Amino acid sequence: MLRRALDGLYWLSAAVAAACLFGIFAIMMIQVALRSMNRPFPGADDVTAYLCVAATFFALAYTFRRGELIRVGLFIERLGPTVRRIFEIISLSLAAALTGYIVFWTANDVMFSYEIEDMAQGSVPFLLWIPKMAMPLGAGVLLVAILDEMVTVLSGQKPNYVRAAEERAARGDFSAEV
């Protein structure tokens, strides 16, 4: 049950990222249509920028679990199973610490923006804490995914991102390796 909930969380985060990408597409198409009528689209650049950030952060956990984030495996892939497991645990621990740091400080920034009622300075003013929420939320889901993988490695199993990469290689799909 917990496994399904976590996988659902990662999928939901990826769906939010996909919705953000679609939002960027929609804004660009609306801008093209309005430009042909010599009409502006106020705030389009600001909203597009925030959607880019949101798409990036919300896609992190799902991408990590599928083994499609950039990893330098030249060294670790040549190690024996025991030493490799130790290096995986060290790597995941460092990733968790760094991601936790990012979650803390981006959440701190969101709270500060909320407290001072920080407003966007573009053509359409809106509260900045709202689009900034994408950073700690997306990084938080990534932190959960990293800790999830750490539990997997600590229990003696192969990490999901390694399994996913091996499955792609077995199918002859080396697109993630390029």
Side-chain angles (χ1 to χ4, degrees), residues 30-140:
I30 292 168
Q31 277 185 301
V32 167
L34 289 175
R35 198 171 293 139
S36 70
M37 296 182 279
N38 291 327
R39 307 232 16 202
F41 186 165
D45 293 340
D46 295 336
V47 174
T48 299
Y50 290 121
L51 287 173
C52 282
V53 172
T56 300
F57 274 85
F58 281 114
L60 289 173
Y62 187 78
T63 306
F64 171 73
R65 291 273 300 166
R66 290 180 45 91
E68 294 180 4
L69 285 180
I70 296 171
R71 290 181 55 227
V72 180
L74 292 174
F75 173 70
I76 201 167
E77 289 170 357
R78 293 183 179 5
L79 300 174
T82 305
V83 177
R84 180 179 178 150
R85 183 169 172 263
I86 291 168
F87 271 88
E88 290 282 3
I89 292 168
I90 291 168
S91 298
L92 289 168
S93 298
L94 290 172
L98 179 62
T99 305
Y101 183 81
I102 291 168
V103 170
F104 177 80
W105 286 108
T106 56
N108 193 33
D109 183 46
V110 168
M111 290 306 300
F112 181 71
S113 291
Y114 177 79
E115 289 170 4
I116 67 168
E117 297 178 7
D118 196 12
M119 299 292 286
Q121 300 298 311
S123 58
V124 178
F126 54 90
L127 294 169
L128 280 177
W129 69 267
I130 296 169
K132 284 182 176 185
M133 281 296 295
M135 294 182 295
L137 289 176

Side-chain angles (χ1 to χ4, degrees), residues 22-35:
F22 181 77
I24 293 166
F25 165 76
I27 288 170
M28 292 173 75
M29 293 299 105
I30 292 168
Q31 277 185 301
V32 167
L34 289 175
R35 198 171 293 139

